C-alpha cells in the first residue's frame, strides 16, 4: 500500500494511506540528530493512548524506528495514527470564502468552546499541552462541506510536570514567561488559547462586518483576560519580566475561561 504526502511542518512530513485510513508523521533527518525527537515520539504515544481510549481519533498510536547501532544514530522515525478528513484551524481562518456574519460567529464560538473544553480535560488529567495554536487544532469534515468535530492535536511537547522552565512551543502563541525561561505551569496554555481565539475572531473587528456577537465587548474582554496576568487571590505564584517573584499573581485558569465563554455563548445563542 502506498502513502501519499499530504502536509509538512517544522518536524517533518505527513503521509496518508487512503486504503487503510492511516497516516504517518515522518521526522526529518535533520531532527533525528537530537534525542529530543525520540522523546517527542514517546511522549505522543504515552499521552495518545489515554486520549484514544477517551475517543480522540487524532493521536499517535504507534512508532516505527530504525537505528544504526554501530554509530548510535537514528536513521528513521515515524509515528502512525488514523487518517481523519478535515482542515486545521489555521487554514480554516485563512480560506477566502469565509463569511463574517452571525451564523459564522455562532459556529466559531462553538468551535472555541469545544477546544477550550478539550484543554480543560487535559488540565484535569494533569497535562499541559505547551503548543496550542491554530495549526494544532483540527476540524473534522467527514469529506463534505460541513464541519463535524474539532480536536486539539500534536502532543509532542505536552508535559505532566506541575512546573517547568524549559521552552517548548511556538513563539507567536507562547507567553512571555515561557520565552524568558521563567517557571510556569499549565496556565500558559490559557495564554496560547487566548492568542488562538484572537486569530479566530480578529477579522470580526472590521467595521464593515457590522454589529454581531463576535465583536462584542464581553468576548474581547475575555480574550484580553486570557492574555494578561490577573490578581485573583491566594494560591497564585508567578514571576515578572525580571524574574522577580510575585505572590498572588497568576493567569486565568482554563476553568474560569470556559465558564465565561459559556456565558457569552448562552446569552447570544
Amino acid at each position: 500500500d502506498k502513502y501519499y504526502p499530504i502536509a509538512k511542518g517544522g518536524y517533518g512530513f505527513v503521509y496518508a494511506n487512503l486504503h487503510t485510513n492511516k497516516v504517518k508523521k515522518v521526522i526529518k533527518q535533520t531532527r533525528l540528530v537530537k534525542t529530543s525527537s525520540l522523546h517527542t515520539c514517546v511522549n505522543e504515544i504515552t499521552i495518545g493512548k489515554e486520549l484514544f481510549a477517551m475517543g480522540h481519533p487524532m493521536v499517535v498510536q504507534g512508532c516505527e524506528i530504525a537505528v544504526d547501532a554501530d554509530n548510535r544514530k537514528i536513521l528513521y522515525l515515524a509515528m502512525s495514527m488514523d487518517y481523519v478528513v478535515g482542515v486545521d484551524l489555521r487554514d480554516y481562518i485563512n480560506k477566502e470564502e469565509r463569511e463574517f456574519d452571525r451564523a459564522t460567529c455562532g459556529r466559531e464560538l462553538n468551535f472555541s468552546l469545544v477546544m477550550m473544553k478539550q484543554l480543560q480535560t487535559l488540565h484535569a488529567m494533569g497535562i499541559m499541552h505547551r503548543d496550542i495554536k491554530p495549526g494544532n487544532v483540527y476540524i473534522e469534515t467527514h469529506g463534505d462541506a460541513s464541519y463535524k468535530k474539532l480536536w486539539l492535536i500534536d502532543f509532542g511537547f505536552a508535559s505532566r510536570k506541575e512546573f517547568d522552565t524549559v521552552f517548548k512551543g511556538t513563539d507567536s502563541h507562547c507567553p512571555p514567561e515561557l520565552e524568558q525561561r521563567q517557571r510556569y505551569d499549565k496556565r500558559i496554555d490559557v495564554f496560547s488559547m487566548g492568542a488562538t481565539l484572537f486569530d479566530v475572531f480578529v477579522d470580526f473587528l472590521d467595521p464593515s462586518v457590522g454589529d454581531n456577537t463576535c465583536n462584542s465587548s464581553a468576548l474581547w474582554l475575555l480574550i484580553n483576560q486570557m492574555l494578561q496576568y490577573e490578581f485573583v487571590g491566594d494560591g497564585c505564584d508567578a514571576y515578572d519580566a525580571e524574574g522577580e517573584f510575585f505572590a498572588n499573581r497568576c493567569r486565568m485558569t482554563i476553568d474560569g475561561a470556559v465558564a465565561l465563554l459559556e456565558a457569552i455563548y448562552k446569552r447570544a445563542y
Side-chain angles (χ1 to χ4, degrees), residues 33-46:
V33 298
K34 299 181 179 180
T35 57
S36 59
S37 296
L38 184 57
H39 295 158
T40 296
C41 183
V42 172
N43 208 31
E44 288 230 39
I45 292 173
T46 303

Side-chain angles (χ1 to χ4, degrees), residues 144-161:
D144 59 27
S146 60
Y147 301 103
K148 305 295 184 184
K149 296 180 181 179
L150 180 145
W151 306 99
L152 289 180
I153 61 173
D154 198 341
F155 298 93
F157 290 162
S159 173
R160 290 186 178 277
K161 291 182 180 179

Side-chain angles (χ1 to χ4, degrees), residues 11 13 27-34 74-77:
Y11 259 76
F13 304 90
I27 308 303
K28 290 179 180 177
Q29 284 290 328
T30 53
R31 293 283 188 173
L32 294 181
V33 298
K34 299 181 179 180
I74 301 174
L75 302 176
Y76 173 83
L77 178 60

Side-chain angles (χ1 to χ4, degrees), residues 122-154:
L122 285 179
H123 284 190
M125 295 168 65
I127 298 170
M128 54 179 163
H129 188 284
R130 296 201 293 189
D131 197 22
I132 292 175
K133 58 185 179 181
N136 283 340
V137 179
Y138 197 81
I139 305 171
E140 187 177 345
T141 63
H142 290 197
D144 59 27
S146 60
Y147 301 103
K148 305 295 184 184
K149 296 180 181 179
L150 180 145
W151 306 99
L152 289 180
I153 61 173
D154 198 341

Side-chain angles (χ1 to χ4, degrees), residues 67-86:
V67 178
D68 179 347
D70 293 333
N71 295 309
R72 297 182 179 181
K73 289 174 59 179
I74 301 174
L75 302 176
Y76 173 83
L77 178 60
M79 295 174 281
S80 60
M81 58 194 296
D82 288 340
Y83 177 63
V84 178
V85 177

Side-chain angles (χ1 to χ4, degrees), residues 239-250:
Y239 295 79
D240 66 9
E242 286 72 42
E244 295 296 324
F245 179 75
F246 263 86
N248 303 332
R249 191 181 186 200
C250 69

